Amino acid sequence: MVKYATGYCYEFVTELENKHFGGVFLNQKILIVEDERNIVDILKFNLKKEGYMTLEAMDGESGLNMALNEKPDLVLLDLMLPKMDGFTVCRKIRESSQVPIVMLTAKEEEVDKVLGLELGADDYITKPFSQRELIARIKSNLRRLTMNENAARNGSVLKCGDLAIDMDRYEVKRKDEVIELTLREFELVRFLAMHKGQIFSRESLLEKVWGYEYYGDVRTVDVTVRRVREKLEIEPANARYILTKRGVGYYFNGEV
């Protein structure tokens, strides 16, 4: 295993995997928004070894323009960027696009992770990280996107009380009013609604909805559930749809 250190320590992936992984055909395009040239080069090297095409932006403004105009399949977004910070870039992307966003940050403060998720990021990973872990996260997010596209072809609508979960439009409606959800929020609602009454731990939801093995931070699930409740519920403090089983996990109310 070769290692390369330039301020951060990254682990090179030394073996190419198959060009087809879990239903995802590679050759997908990934936008890297990062202002440290050495990190960009390492990410490009490993992503291209895995069969991905890459785009690069060295500042927030360029990254936002490329995200909106080049239509990447996934965005790797650093937080500390010149011209426009990653939080602002994420928020502006979400105004018109549901492309998966994985935030890259050297910050360990919980508030930064929470804010990123609340602004619509699908995932985050803290530097220093191994390339193997990053590639796993990327594949997971892209695989989930492909699974959603396949499910959408079925054109089914799942009804739960006042909610209608439209697989074709990636929409959730309450009494014919569309509730704006990010892709990850939609996935969480759909998964829990398809397993009404079944309680899932946060670790289990990370694996089944986010699609990667548990890496130790379940705060991602808590933040997403809270954000979904704020959108679905008339009174978020008195949740009707996604409920909590204290000390165990979350479940979709089987009585709606």
Side-chain angles (χ1 to χ4, degrees):
M1 186 69 66
V2 180
K3 293 199 174 181
Y4 184 85
T6 51
Y8 298 109
C9 182
Y10 292 90
E11 178 182 305
F12 277 6
V13 178
T14 58
E15 296 181 1
L16 283 172
E17 297 184 3
N18 293 332
K19 296 301 180 183
H20 180 269
F21 180 88
V24 175
F25 290 93
L26 301 186
N27 261 345
Q28 290 160 309
K29 185 164 52 179
I30 297 177
L31 171 60
I32 304 167
V33 188
E34 166 64 65
D35 64 331
E36 294 190 45
R37 181 80 261 174
N38 61 306
I39 296 178
V40 172
D41 290 342
I42 293 169
L43 292 173
K44 283 174 57 180
F45 176 83
N46 284 279
L47 289 170
K48 288 182 177 180
K49 283 185 68 176
E50 293 291 330
Y52 297 107
M53 296 181 289
T54 62
L55 300 167
E56 302 86 42
M58 301 295 291
D59 63 76
E61 287 184 359
S62 299
L64 175 61
N65 289 333
M66 295 183 76
L68 298 180
N69 295 321
E70 299 294 335
K71 308 299 182 185
D73 295 288
L74 183 141
V75 178
L76 294 177
L77 178 61
D78 189 35
L79 288 185
M80 305 302 292
L81 295 167
K83 296 187 179 180
M84 184 183 296
D85 64 75
F87 294 123
T88 303
V89 174
C90 181
R91 177 174 56 79
K92 288 182 175 292
I93 290 175
R94 278 292 172 258
E95 290 175 357
S96 59
S97 172
Q98 294 303 315
V99 62
I101 299 173
V102 178
M103 284 193 155
L104 309 177
T105 176
K107 291 188 173 183
E108 296 183 355
E109 290 86 350
E110 192 72 15
V111 65
D112 294 310
K113 299 174 182 178
V114 172
L115 180 57
L117 293 169
E118 288 182 339
L119 289 173
D122 296 277
D123 204 352
Y124 63 83
I125 186 167
T126 303
K127 302 172 186 175
F129 51 82
S130 73
Q131 290 295 315
R132 189 175 300 278
E133 179 182 358
L134 179 62
I135 294 296
R137 298 286 186 94
I138 289 170
K139 287 181 176 178
S140 170
N141 279 279
L142 291 174
R143 184 168 64 249
R144 300 301 302 177
L145 181 62
T146 300
M147 290 172 64
N148 276 332
E149 291 171 349
N150 292 336
R153 295 190 185 101
N154 297 328
S156 58
V157 176
L158 182 62
K159 294 188 176 180
C160 304
D162 293 336
L163 300 181
I165 304 171
D166 192 322
M167 306 298 186
D168 184 48
R169 296 178 178 272
Y170 303 96
E171 286 181 347
V172 176
K173 292 183 179 180
R174 182 177 55 232
K175 296 181 178 179
D176 296 326
E177 179 182 353
V178 176
I179 300 171
E180 295 296 334
L181 299 175
T182 67
L183 178 59
R184 186 70 71 195
E185 291 166 353
F186 175 82
E187 290 175 337
L188 178 63
V189 173
R190 182 182 65 182
F191 178 80
L192 290 175
M194 291 177 67
H195 299 84
K196 278 188 175 183
Q198 185 174 347
I199 302 171
F200 293 91
S201 68
R202 293 179 293 177
E203 293 85 351
S204 178
L205 288 172
L206 274 177
E207 179 182 352
K208 296 179 182 299
V209 178
W210 277 255
Y212 52 80
E213 293 182 358
Y214 174 50
Y215 283 101
D217 192 345
V218 295
R219 182 63 174 168
T220 301
V221 178
D222 296 331
V223 172
T224 306
V225 168
R226 185 177 75 240
R227 200 169 61 225
V228 166
R229 282 174 173 166
E230 290 172 351
K231 296 180 179 183
L232 293 188
E233 305 286 354
I234 296 175
E235 297 182 36
N238 298 305
R240 180 187 178 198
Y241 297 107
I242 298 180
L243 307 181
T244 302
K245 184 68 173 179
R246 189 174 298 277
V248 182
Y250 299 105
Y251 64 101
F252 201 98
N253 188 352
E255 298 181 2
V256 297

